[in-house]
Amino acid sequence: MSEPNLPVEQPQGGTATIERTETRELVEPGDAERFAHYVRKEKILESAMTGDPVIALCGKVWVPGRDPNRFPVCPACKEIIDGVFGSDDGDGDS
């Protein structure tokens, strides 16, 4: 006896919906090249009140308006701070 010819299901181009959960961090243009800079705290407060720009240790001039915790520390500012106050990398050398 031969087996009956059963139709073989072929994959077809359907319109199935695939749900994905995608998490994106809000990134503003130019964020990749931005850094958190060192500025005197009172200058930041003054700038917040007046809108005047501040000058970072490295010489960058800008009006602060973004959360500095979102950005890495400016290498030039860090080098200046480390030169004045010593490195705080925890290696034990003082």
Side-chain angles (χ1 to χ4, degrees), residues 7-88:
V8 178
E9 290 193 30
Q10 298 289 327
Q12 296 184 9
T15 57
T17 303
I18 299 173
E19 292 186 33
R20 287 187 228 177
T21 304
E22 189 172 321
T23 305
R24 289 188 184 182
E25 182 176 328
L26 295 177
V27 178
E28 297 176 22
D31 277 356
E33 59 212 43
R34 294 179 193 237
F35 293 103
H37 296 273
Y38 286 105
V39 178
R40 289 185 167 268
K41 192 180 288 187
E42 57 269 9
K43 293 293 184 182
I44 296 286
L45 294 173
E46 182 180 317
S47 176
M49 301 299 273
T50 65
D52 292 339
V54 295
I55 302 173
L57 290 177
C58 67
K60 177 177 172 82
V61 178
W62 86 106
V63 176
R66 292 180 176 84
D67 179 7
N69 294 324
R70 290 180 42 206
F71 304 99
V73 174
C74 168
C77 285
K78 177 131 179 68
E79 186 176 321
I80 293 167
I81 284 288
D82 288 349
V84 172
F85 295 107
S87 178
D88 189 23

